[in-house]
Amino acid sequence: MNRNKQIIISHPNGNANTRGALYGLQRKGLLYKYITSIAVFNYGTWSKVSRLPGLKSLRRKHYDDTIGDHVICFPFKELGRQLCIKMGLGSLLKHETGVFCVDKECEYIDKKTAGVLRRLAYNVDAVYGYEDVALHTFREAKRLGKVCIYDLPIGHWRAMRKLLDIERKKLPEWAMTLGGFNDTDAKLARKDEELRLADKIYVASSFTKWSLKDYPCRLAEVEVIPYGFPPVNKNRRYESFDNGRKIKALYVGGLSQRKGIAYVFEAMKGLEDRIDMTVVGCGNVDGCEALRDALHKVKYIPTLPHEEALNLMAENDVFIFPSLFEGFGLVITESMSQGTPVITTDRTCGPDIMTHGKDGWIVEAGTSEPIRNLLLSFIENPGMLSQFGRNAMETAAKRPWKKYEDELAESVMQFLDSNQ
């Protein structure tokens, strides 16, 4: 009997989708090594370190013990980055150039992964890499004749610049919050080469796949596998509107016009006596007058721990997330899992995971009018929100994270088998 294919996967911080890939691959017997910065388990050194005063943030890097034997950590850059954040050493965190910036950490883990691959190549069939963390690994994999699998969590940079440049000209007062225009040519070239070297590409939304049409060269097969939903909030209760209470609306995310934040405020104009709007997120509030003025008109919370953010979602009637460019939008699945229906756009995961007019609403990106029209319809018939919320929970219950894990692992296995 042939042995299972073996894969090295790497990521500096191990977000939710990376964990999903890891657990799915591990259950299929495909996971050989996982290269990361820090991994905390229920045992071992990092578990003890994460309990020390001032190091509570390391607990966010907790993984299931099932993958413990597969993990190799290279913590230097991440520890330096955390120290710089705590000490306010911003120059060392400067975009692309700071010694401990995110870009340098990605490159560091990428190079370390390439080194591990060189040492263990005999046991490895494929590498699985993420955007900005795959170039050196893929180059080494090609030299050794290994398969390169690429995970693109956000849309292609050319499409992003094209769409956001339209927005920059349309609402210049919000332009400084957009982001997406400060990457150097060298960084963009690295992104392109990662795509060029990939033998298979996974994305989490149809919009991300669509964005790749602007890539000028040949692409490997692109497959869409949407992420999963968090556990459904079985204790969700819906408050009656019989007493004439206001509708409670919520936005959680970066305070960037890439997220369409200006259209939230614009849609709300004149409706303040019927809708209470809460905004949670960080951004350059002091540097953008339009943003600063808008936040004065809503309840503003700069930051919340993840669990508290989920609780807040469960306390609201509707979630508004009108993003202009989103690879997926985990807040959408989080809100739906809490029984709060979502208004989002056709440039998110919305079209892949929800049914418009049943468990949420998908509107055109780049305008406030359809959002406002929906808010007006809620004011006329607020009772509809609870039914949409229940429908959202039903949708969430049908696609837990394990479904994503299994679908991805099965697809990877089939792809590797077809490349024998």
Short mmCIF file of all heavy atoms in Angstrom, two decimals, residues 151-156 201-212 222-227 325-329 332 345-353 404:
data_model
loop_
_atom_site.label_atom_id
_atom_site.label_comp_id
_atom_site.label_asym_id
_atom_site.label_seq_id
_atom_site.Cartn_x
_atom_site.Cartn_y
_atom_site.Cartn_z
N ASP A 151 -2.47 29.12 -0.90
CA ASP A 151 -3.71 29.58 -0.30
C ASP A 151 -3.73 31.10 -0.33
O ASP A 151 -2.89 31.75 0.29
CB ASP A 151 -3.81 29.06 1.14
CG ASP A 151 -5.22 29.16 1.70
OD1 ASP A 151 -5.80 30.27 1.62
OD2 ASP A 151 -5.73 28.16 2.22
N LEU A 152 -4.68 31.66 -1.07
CA LEU A 152 -4.78 33.11 -1.23
C LEU A 152 -5.98 33.60 -0.41
O LEU A 152 -7.13 33.43 -0.81
CB LEU A 152 -4.96 33.47 -2.70
CG LEU A 152 -5.00 34.96 -3.06
CD1 LEU A 152 -3.66 35.63 -2.74
CD2 LEU A 152 -5.35 35.15 -4.53
N PRO A 153 -5.74 34.22 0.76
CA PRO A 153 -6.85 34.58 1.65
C PRO A 153 -7.56 35.89 1.28
O PRO A 153 -8.63 36.17 1.82
CB PRO A 153 -6.16 34.70 3.02
CG PRO A 153 -4.76 35.08 2.68
CD PRO A 153 -4.43 34.43 1.37
N ILE A 154 -6.97 36.69 0.41
CA ILE A 154 -7.60 37.95 0.00
C ILE A 154 -7.40 38.11 -1.50
O ILE A 154 -6.55 37.45 -2.09
CB ILE A 154 -7.02 39.15 0.77
CG1 ILE A 154 -7.88 40.40 0.55
CG2 ILE A 154 -5.57 39.40 0.38
CD1 ILE A 154 -7.55 41.54 1.49
N GLY A 155 -8.20 38.96 -2.10
CA GLY A 155 -8.16 39.11 -3.54
C GLY A 155 -6.83 39.61 -4.07
O GLY A 155 -5.98 40.14 -3.35
N HIS A 156 -6.65 39.43 -5.39
CA HIS A 156 -5.40 39.79 -6.04
C HIS A 156 -5.18 41.30 -6.02
O HIS A 156 -6.11 42.09 -6.19
CB HIS A 156 -5.43 39.29 -7.49
CG HIS A 156 -4.19 39.57 -8.25
ND1 HIS A 156 -2.94 39.16 -7.82
CD2 HIS A 156 -3.98 40.22 -9.42
CE1 HIS A 156 -2.03 39.53 -8.69
NE2 HIS A 156 -2.63 40.18 -9.67
N ILE A 201 -4.31 26.39 -6.48
CA ILE A 201 -4.62 27.59 -5.70
C ILE A 201 -5.97 27.41 -5.03
O ILE A 201 -6.96 27.07 -5.69
CB ILE A 201 -4.64 28.84 -6.60
CG1 ILE A 201 -3.28 29.04 -7.29
CG2 ILE A 201 -5.01 30.08 -5.79
CD1 ILE A 201 -3.29 30.07 -8.39
N TYR A 202 -6.00 27.66 -3.72
CA TYR A 202 -7.25 27.62 -2.97
C TYR A 202 -7.64 29.04 -2.53
O TYR A 202 -6.78 29.82 -2.08
CB TYR A 202 -7.14 26.73 -1.73
CG TYR A 202 -7.09 25.26 -2.07
CD1 TYR A 202 -5.88 24.57 -2.05
CD2 TYR A 202 -8.24 24.58 -2.43
CE1 TYR A 202 -5.83 23.22 -2.37
CE2 TYR A 202 -8.20 23.22 -2.76
CZ TYR A 202 -6.99 22.55 -2.72
OH TYR A 202 -6.95 21.23 -3.06
N VAL A 203 -8.90 29.37 -2.68
CA VAL A 203 -9.45 30.64 -2.21
C VAL A 203 -10.74 30.33 -1.45
O VAL A 203 -11.32 29.26 -1.60
CB VAL A 203 -9.73 31.62 -3.36
CG1 VAL A 203 -8.44 32.00 -4.09
CG2 VAL A 203 -10.74 31.04 -4.35
N ALA A 204 -11.19 31.30 -0.65
CA ALA A 204 -12.36 31.05 0.20
C ALA A 204 -13.63 31.70 -0.31
O ALA A 204 -14.68 31.55 0.32
CB ALA A 204 -12.07 31.53 1.62
N SER A 205 -13.55 32.43 -1.42
CA SER A 205 -14.76 33.07 -1.95
C SER A 205 -14.68 33.19 -3.46
O SER A 205 -13.59 33.25 -4.04
CB SER A 205 -14.96 34.46 -1.34
OG SER A 205 -13.99 35.37 -1.83
N SER A 206 -15.86 33.24 -4.08
CA SER A 206 -15.92 33.43 -5.53
C SER A 206 -15.36 34.79 -5.93
O SER A 206 -14.82 34.95 -7.02
CB SER A 206 -17.37 33.30 -6.00
OG SER A 206 -17.87 32.01 -5.72
N PHE A 207 -15.50 35.79 -5.04
CA PHE A 207 -14.97 37.11 -5.34
C PHE A 207 -13.45 37.08 -5.44
O PHE A 207 -12.85 37.70 -6.33
CB PHE A 207 -15.41 38.13 -4.29
CG PHE A 207 -14.77 39.48 -4.48
CD1 PHE A 207 -15.12 40.27 -5.56
CD2 PHE A 207 -13.80 39.95 -3.59
CE1 PHE A 207 -14.52 41.51 -5.77
CE2 PHE A 207 -13.20 41.18 -3.79
CZ PHE A 207 -13.57 41.97 -4.87
N THR A 208 -12.79 36.35 -4.54
CA THR A 208 -11.33 36.23 -4.61
C THR A 208 -10.92 35.56 -5.91
O THR A 208 -9.97 35.99 -6.58
CB THR A 208 -10.79 35.44 -3.41
OG1 THR A 208 -11.17 36.11 -2.20
CG2 THR A 208 -9.28 35.35 -3.46
N LYS A 209 -11.63 34.52 -6.29
CA LYS A 209 -11.33 33.87 -7.57
C LYS A 209 -11.52 34.84 -8.73
O LYS A 209 -10.69 34.91 -9.65
CB LYS A 209 -12.23 32.65 -7.76
CG LYS A 209 -11.96 31.89 -9.05
CD LYS A 209 -12.81 30.63 -9.15
CE LYS A 209 -12.52 29.88 -10.44
NZ LYS A 209 -13.30 28.61 -10.55
N TRP A 210 -12.60 35.61 -8.69
CA TRP A 210 -12.86 36.60 -9.73
C TRP A 210 -11.73 37.61 -9.83
O TRP A 210 -11.33 38.01 -10.94
CB TRP A 210 -14.18 37.31 -9.44
CG TRP A 210 -14.46 38.48 -10.33
CD1 TRP A 210 -15.09 38.47 -11.54
CD2 TRP A 210 -14.09 39.85 -10.10
NE1 TRP A 210 -15.15 39.74 -12.08
CE2 TRP A 210 -14.54 40.61 -11.20
CE3 TRP A 210 -13.44 40.51 -9.05
CZ2 TRP A 210 -14.35 41.98 -11.29
CZ3 TRP A 210 -13.25 41.88 -9.14
CH2 TRP A 210 -13.70 42.60 -10.25
N SER A 211 -11.18 38.02 -8.70
CA SER A 211 -10.13 39.04 -8.70
C SER A 211 -8.87 38.58 -9.44
O SER A 211 -8.09 39.41 -9.93
CB SER A 211 -9.77 39.44 -7.26
OG SER A 211 -8.98 38.44 -6.62
N LEU A 212 -8.68 37.29 -9.54
CA LEU A 212 -7.48 36.76 -10.19
C LEU A 212 -7.52 36.89 -11.71
O LEU A 212 -6.53 36.62 -12.38
CB LEU A 212 -7.28 35.30 -9.80
CG LEU A 212 -6.72 35.07 -8.38
CD1 LEU A 212 -6.85 33.62 -7.98
CD2 LEU A 212 -5.27 35.53 -8.29
N VAL A 222 -7.83 27.12 -9.87
CA VAL A 222 -8.27 27.85 -8.68
C VAL A 222 -9.56 27.21 -8.17
O VAL A 222 -10.54 27.09 -8.92
CB VAL A 222 -8.51 29.33 -8.98
CG1 VAL A 222 -8.94 30.07 -7.71
CG2 VAL A 222 -7.27 29.98 -9.59
N GLU A 223 -9.58 26.80 -6.92
CA GLU A 223 -10.75 26.16 -6.33
C GLU A 223 -11.26 26.98 -5.16
O GLU A 223 -10.48 27.42 -4.31
CB GLU A 223 -10.44 24.74 -5.88
CG GLU A 223 -11.65 23.99 -5.34
CD GLU A 223 -11.37 22.53 -5.04
OE1 GLU A 223 -10.29 22.03 -5.46
OE2 GLU A 223 -12.21 21.89 -4.39
N VAL A 224 -12.58 27.16 -5.11
CA VAL A 224 -13.22 27.91 -4.03
C VAL A 224 -13.74 26.94 -2.97
O VAL A 224 -14.57 26.07 -3.26
CB VAL A 224 -14.40 28.76 -4.56
CG1 VAL A 224 -15.07 29.52 -3.40
CG2 VAL A 224 -13.94 29.72 -5.64
N ILE A 225 -13.26 27.09 -1.74
CA ILE A 225 -13.78 26.34 -0.60
C ILE A 225 -14.03 27.34 0.53
O ILE A 225 -13.08 27.80 1.17
CB ILE A 225 -12.82 25.23 -0.13
CG1 ILE A 225 -12.49 24.27 -1.28
CG2 ILE A 225 -13.42 24.47 1.05
CD1 ILE A 225 -11.58 23.13 -0.88
N PRO A 226 -15.28 27.73 0.76
CA PRO A 226 -15.57 28.72 1.81
C PRO A 226 -15.20 28.20 3.20
O PRO A 226 -15.29 27.00 3.48
CB PRO A 226 -17.09 28.93 1.69
CG PRO A 226 -17.43 28.47 0.31
CD PRO A 226 -16.48 27.34 0.02
N TYR A 227 -14.80 29.13 4.06
CA TYR A 227 -14.50 28.78 5.44
C TYR A 227 -15.77 28.32 6.17
O TYR A 227 -16.89 28.46 5.67
CB TYR A 227 -13.90 29.98 6.18
CG TYR A 227 -12.62 30.51 5.59
CD1 TYR A 227 -12.33 31.88 5.62
CD2 TYR A 227 -11.69 29.66 4.99
CE1 TYR A 227 -11.15 32.38 5.08
CE2 TYR A 227 -10.51 30.15 4.46
CZ TYR A 227 -10.26 31.51 4.49
OH TYR A 227 -9.09 32.01 3.96
N PHE A 325 -13.76 45.25 -0.75
CA PHE A 325 -12.76 44.29 -1.24
C PHE A 325 -12.41 43.36 -0.09
O PHE A 325 -11.68 43.73 0.82
CB PHE A 325 -11.51 45.00 -1.76
CG PHE A 325 -10.64 44.13 -2.60
CD1 PHE A 325 -10.82 44.07 -3.97
CD2 PHE A 325 -9.64 43.34 -2.05
CE1 PHE A 325 -10.03 43.25 -4.78
CE2 PHE A 325 -8.85 42.51 -2.83
CZ PHE A 325 -9.05 42.47 -4.20
N GLU A 326 -12.94 42.14 -0.13
CA GLU A 326 -12.79 41.23 0.99
C GLU A 326 -12.54 39.81 0.48
O GLU A 326 -13.29 39.31 -0.36
CB GLU A 326 -14.06 41.25 1.84
CG GLU A 326 -13.86 40.78 3.24
CD GLU A 326 -13.07 41.77 4.09
OE1 GLU A 326 -13.22 42.99 3.90
OE2 GLU A 326 -12.31 41.29 4.96
N GLY A 327 -11.49 39.18 0.99
CA GLY A 327 -11.23 37.81 0.59
C GLY A 327 -12.30 36.86 1.10
O GLY A 327 -12.68 35.90 0.44
N PHE A 328 -12.80 37.14 2.29
CA PHE A 328 -13.88 36.35 2.87
C PHE A 328 -14.76 37.23 3.75
O PHE A 328 -15.83 37.62 3.36
CB PHE A 328 -13.32 35.16 3.66
CG PHE A 328 -14.37 34.19 4.12
CD1 PHE A 328 -14.89 33.26 3.23
CD2 PHE A 328 -14.82 34.20 5.43
CE1 PHE A 328 -15.87 32.37 3.65
CE2 PHE A 328 -15.79 33.30 5.86
CZ PHE A 328 -16.32 32.39 4.97
N GLY A 329 -14.28 37.53 4.96
CA GLY A 329 -15.05 38.33 5.91
C GLY A 329 -15.54 37.47 7.05
O GLY A 329 -16.73 37.15 7.14
N ILE A 332 -18.69 38.06 9.10
CA ILE A 332 -20.00 37.68 8.55
C ILE A 332 -20.45 36.34 9.14
O ILE A 332 -21.57 36.20 9.64
CB ILE A 332 -19.94 37.60 7.01
CG1 ILE A 332 -19.61 38.97 6.43
CG2 ILE A 332 -21.26 37.08 6.45
CD1 ILE A 332 -19.37 38.96 4.93
N THR A 345 -21.90 42.84 0.96
CA THR A 345 -21.85 43.16 -0.47
C THR A 345 -21.47 41.94 -1.30
O THR A 345 -21.10 40.89 -0.77
CB THR A 345 -20.83 44.28 -0.75
OG1 THR A 345 -19.50 43.75 -0.58
CG2 THR A 345 -21.04 45.47 0.16
N ASP A 346 -21.51 42.14 -2.61
CA ASP A 346 -21.14 41.09 -3.55
C ASP A 346 -19.63 40.94 -3.68
O ASP A 346 -19.16 40.15 -4.51
CB ASP A 346 -21.74 41.38 -4.92
CG ASP A 346 -21.51 42.82 -5.40
OD1 ASP A 346 -20.82 43.60 -4.67
OD2 ASP A 346 -22.00 43.18 -6.47
N ARG A 347 -18.87 41.66 -2.86
CA ARG A 347 -17.41 41.54 -2.87
C ARG A 347 -16.89 40.93 -1.58
O ARG A 347 -15.81 41.26 -1.09
CB ARG A 347 -16.76 42.90 -3.11
CG ARG A 347 -17.15 43.55 -4.42
CD ARG A 347 -16.40 44.85 -4.60
NE ARG A 347 -16.95 45.69 -5.65
CZ ARG A 347 -16.61 46.95 -5.85
NH1 ARG A 347 -15.71 47.52 -5.04
NH2 ARG A 347 -17.15 47.66 -6.81
N THR A 348 -17.66 40.03 -1.01
CA THR A 348 -17.29 39.30 0.20
C THR A 348 -17.66 37.84 -0.03
O THR A 348 -18.01 37.42 -1.13
CB THR A 348 -18.04 39.84 1.43
OG1 THR A 348 -19.44 39.50 1.30
CG2 THR A 348 -17.89 41.35 1.57
N CYS A 349 -17.66 37.07 1.06
CA CYS A 349 -18.09 35.67 0.99
C CYS A 349 -19.60 35.55 0.91
O CYS A 349 -20.12 34.44 0.75
CB CYS A 349 -17.58 34.91 2.20
SG CYS A 349 -18.30 35.49 3.77
N GLY A 350 -20.32 36.67 1.03
CA GLY A 350 -21.78 36.64 1.09
C GLY A 350 -22.43 35.75 0.05
O GLY A 350 -23.24 34.86 0.38
N PRO A 351 -22.11 35.93 -1.25
CA PRO A 351 -22.75 35.10 -2.27
C PRO A 351 -22.46 33.61 -2.15
O PRO A 351 -23.21 32.79 -2.69
CB PRO A 351 -22.16 35.66 -3.58
CG PRO A 351 -21.80 37.07 -3.26
CD PRO A 351 -21.31 37.02 -1.84
N ASP A 352 -21.39 33.23 -1.44
CA ASP A 352 -21.01 31.82 -1.30
C ASP A 352 -21.67 31.14 -0.11
O ASP A 352 -21.81 29.91 -0.11
CB ASP A 352 -19.49 31.69 -1.15
CG ASP A 352 -18.74 32.20 -2.36
OD1 ASP A 352 -18.80 31.54 -3.41
OD2 ASP A 352 -18.12 33.27 -2.27
N ILE A 353 -22.08 31.91 0.89
CA ILE A 353 -22.53 31.27 2.13
C ILE A 353 -23.93 31.65 2.56
O ILE A 353 -24.47 31.03 3.47
CB ILE A 353 -21.56 31.57 3.30
CG1 ILE A 353 -21.55 33.08 3.61
CG2 ILE A 353 -20.16 31.07 2.99
CD1 ILE A 353 -20.90 33.42 4.93
N TYR A 404 -15.30 22.69 6.44
CA TYR A 404 -14.22 23.29 5.65
C TYR A 404 -12.96 22.43 5.72
O TYR A 404 -12.31 22.15 4.70
CB TYR A 404 -13.91 24.70 6.14
CG TYR A 404 -12.60 25.26 5.59
CD1 TYR A 404 -12.52 25.73 4.29
CD2 TYR A 404 -11.46 25.30 6.39
CE1 TYR A 404 -11.32 26.22 3.78
CE2 TYR A 404 -10.26 25.79 5.90
CZ TYR A 404 -10.20 26.25 4.59
OH TYR A 404 -9.00 26.74 4.09
#
